[in-house]
Amino acid sequence: MPGFERFGKEEIKHVQDVLETGILMRYNFEAARNGIWKTQEFEQAIQRTTGAKYAHLVSSGTTALITAIKSLGIEPGDEIILPTFTFVASFEAVLFTGAVPVLVDIDDTLTLSPKAVEKAITSKTKAIMPVHMCGAMADLDPLLEIAHQHNLFLIEDACQAIGGSYKGKYLGTLGDVGCFSFDFVKTVTCGEGGAILTNEKSYYEYCHQFSDHGHDHIGHDRGAEDHPIIGLNFRISELHAAVGLAQWEKLDEILSRQRTIKTYFKAKLAEIPFVSFRRIPDEAGDNASFLSIFLENEEQTRKVWEGLKKEGIPCAYWYDNNWHYIRKWHHFKNLKNQKGISEEQKNQLPNYAEQNFSASDEFMKRTLSFPLSLNLTEEKINQITALISSLV
Ligand SMILES: Cc1ncc(COP(=O)(O)O)c(C=O)c1O
């Protein structure tokens, strides 16, 4: 997810605009800022592109998720269903709102299995949180249907899928709220940053207030503003927003390059009989930041992965990864023994260590994902596919 590969004079210009005003804060200082409002411009650009009625920028994807969950009125003890394959931030965000993360299996989409979601619904369930992993979408039609039937919120963790879409609608805009991350390795980056997207005014109002100490942002005197709610400081700075704005203007070019690379790479890999592909519910909407393949079994997958590693070819084997798959989240499985979580919340948590995620294991142990650099050439792809063929 290489937005950083496209840094250029545009990022420098937007940052310079901010530095020349001396105002790094997104709110207030109207006279001194000389008409420079990079955060607002970036929010408006996200709204224009995605069609979301509201986009609110914050300091990270993690704080976007926390803010989004809280904006829905989810309370301590409420349950949120999410997948076993994600980045740790997804369950961290749920935990730090006081809610209970209920993890369920993925399927061949490498995202939430709708069947597993249905089985996990209890009287305490308040939301389903699909995570659009590695640039491509969850199986949204059945998930939206389940959410609708059971009167649950749908929170899209679209942190890894900026610019992706599902049946013509941008990921992040199909649920009640959606979140992006602009951290250092995302499709569009500003170093650290995130966004919440929604079409619901009351959620947006909560988001901008909560992420700025509860300020109501009415009037032009920050010191005189009211505080309708308790909040925190999850603000983004104008410097970060300046970089993000320049990057957002390059989104179409980044996606187009990724999609061209992926189409070629996928066609080459399709010639290898022991390779198959992750199911993508709407191929046209894949943001194409990764190409994920299945091999036939764990032994073969490990052999190919080791061979690729030896040649220095970037490739993720999530099954062994400490951050993206539950198998190695020892801290999460051991939550009941960790400090910083109330006894009340501990008592509500399932015993994750004893849960059976063999259905997820069956996919993860056979999955390899190639991150697609914008600089990947056809020649390099030919070398990689030849190498994979020779390894088995
Ligand atoms: C799926 C997912 N959710 C949430 C996050 C958190 O984003 P951030 O690093 O901006 O806090 C990430 C970051 O990698 C992610 O991949």
Side-chain angles (χ1 to χ4, degrees):
M1 294 179 277
F4 65 86
E5 291 179 345
R6 283 292 184 269
F7 281 154
K9 57 184 184 331
E10 300 78 10
E11 282 78 1
I12 295 169
K13 167 76 175 72
H14 282 298
V15 169
Q16 195 174 352
D17 289 347
V18 174
L19 288 175
E20 282 172 0
T21 68
I23 305 300
L24 309 189
M25 162 80 158
R26 70 158 296 176
Y27 296 113
N28 305 98
F29 301 98
E30 279 82 350
R33 66 192 317 138
N34 208 15
I36 302 292
W37 298 90
K38 296 296 177 187
T39 309
Q40 283 187 21
E41 258 193 86
F42 188 8
E43 286 170 347
Q44 285 157 11
I46 295 172
Q47 285 165 210
R48 264 196 314 277
T49 306
T50 63
K53 260 199 195 149
Y54 306 97
H56 179 66
L57 286 166
V58 287
S59 53
S60 69
T62 309
T63 55
L65 285 168
I66 294 174
T67 307
I69 292 168
K70 290 197 65 71
S71 77
L72 300 173
I74 288 175
E75 298 278 350
D78 290 344
E79 293 177 356
I80 301 182
I81 299 175
L82 64 156
T84 51
F85 178 44
T86 180
F87 180 58
V88 290
S90 313
F91 74 71
E92 288 168 347
V94 175
L95 275 176
F96 279 88
T97 63
V100 175
V102 174
L103 275 85
V104 306
D105 278 319
I106 54 159
D107 60 18
D108 58 345
T109 63
L110 299 183
T111 64
L112 270 183
S113 150
K115 282 193 190 121
V117 169
E118 260 188 317
K119 275 196 208 144
I121 293 172
T122 71
S123 58
K124 293 190 183 148
T125 309
K126 282 285 155 35
I128 304 171
M129 188 199 280
V131 183
H132 306 308
M133 277 304 271
C134 304
M137 75 294 302
D139 210 350
L140 280 166
D141 272 349
L143 292 173
L144 283 161
E145 178 59 27
I146 295 168
H148 179 70
Q149 268 176 12
H150 295 266
N151 202 18
L152 304 173
F153 294 114
L154 194 114
I155 303 165
E156 291 179 79
D157 181 339
C159 288
Q160 292 197 7
I162 297 169
S165 60
Y166 180 68
K167 300 191 175 172
K169 288 188 181 159
Y170 276 87
L171 299 180
T173 67
L174 288 109
D176 296 283
V177 284
C179 296
F180 288 162
S181 161
F182 304 113
D183 76 19
F184 39 93
V185 287
K186 292 299 187 284
T187 306
V188 163
T189 180
C190 64
E192 300 287 359
I196 305 129
L197 279 63
T198 185
N199 290 322
E200 175 59 48
K201 188 164 186 223
S202 62
Y203 305 154
Y204 164 71
E205 289 292 337
Y206 186 95
C207 289
H208 76 74
Q209 293 173 359
F210 179 75
S211 57
D212 185 23
H213 304 294
H215 275 258
D216 65 5
H217 301 128
I218 294 174
H220 299 286
D221 179 357
R222 188 164 171 80
E225 286 178 10
D226 207 351
H227 300 86
I229 60 168
I230 298 283
L232 287 163
N233 174 10
F234 286 173
R235 290 186 309 261
I236 193 167
S237 83
E238 282 283 278
L239 284 176
H240 290 86
V243 177
L245 178 60
Q247 285 263 295
W248 192 265
E249 288 161 357
K250 300 174 183 181
L251 177 62
D252 283 349
E253 192 262 324
I254 291 172
L255 293 180
S256 153
R257 176 82 190 125
Q258 283 180 173
R259 286 170 174 155
T260 304
I261 292 169
K262 185 161 180 175
T263 304
Y264 183 81
F265 202 168
K266 200 168 173 183
K268 293 300 292 180
L269 285 170
E271 292 168 11
I272 305 178
F274 56 86
V275 169
S276 60
F277 299 96
R278 162 192 188 176
R279 179 166 64 87
I280 297 183
D282 177 9
E283 290 271 356
D286 181 4
N287 106 344
S289 46
F290 282 85
L291 172 53
S292 298
I293 60 172
F294 297 128
L295 289 101
E296 291 172 326
N297 53 51
E298 180 177 349
E299 192 193 349
Q300 190 185 66
T301 311
R302 286 188 180 278
K303 201 167 164 196
V304 170
W305 184 48
E306 292 298 337
L308 290 164
K309 253 199 312 192
K310 224 191 223 163
E311 295 302 316
I313 294 166
C315 176
Y317 184 46
W318 306 113
Y319 193 57
D320 276 2
N321 184 291
N322 288 353
W323 297 101
H324 289 88
Y325 184 52
I326 192 166
R327 190 166 84 98
K328 295 221 168 168
W329 293 344
H330 304 304
H331 63 324
F332 176 74
K333 291 185 190 171
N334 199 22
L335 271 178
K336 284 183 190 271
N337 294 322
Q338 296 226 7
K339 289 187 178 160
I341 296 176
S342 72
E343 281 308 311
E344 193 184 357
Q345 193 178 13
K346 279 182 187 169
N347 290 336
Q348 292 160 346
L349 298 174
N351 190 346
Y352 300 107
E354 284 184 2
Q355 289 182 327
N356 177 349
F357 295 115
S358 54
S360 301
D361 285 346
E362 281 313 305
F363 292 106
M364 294 315 290
K365 62 170 68 151
R366 298 189 295 114
T367 300
L368 292 178
S369 295
F370 296 91
L372 301 182
S373 160
L374 302 177
N375 302 320
L376 199 56
T377 60
E378 289 188 0
E379 192 188 352
K380 187 74 192 170
I381 291 171
N382 295 344
Q383 274 172 21
I384 298 171
T385 43
L387 174 63
I388 295 173
S389 291
S390 72
L391 287 167
V392 173

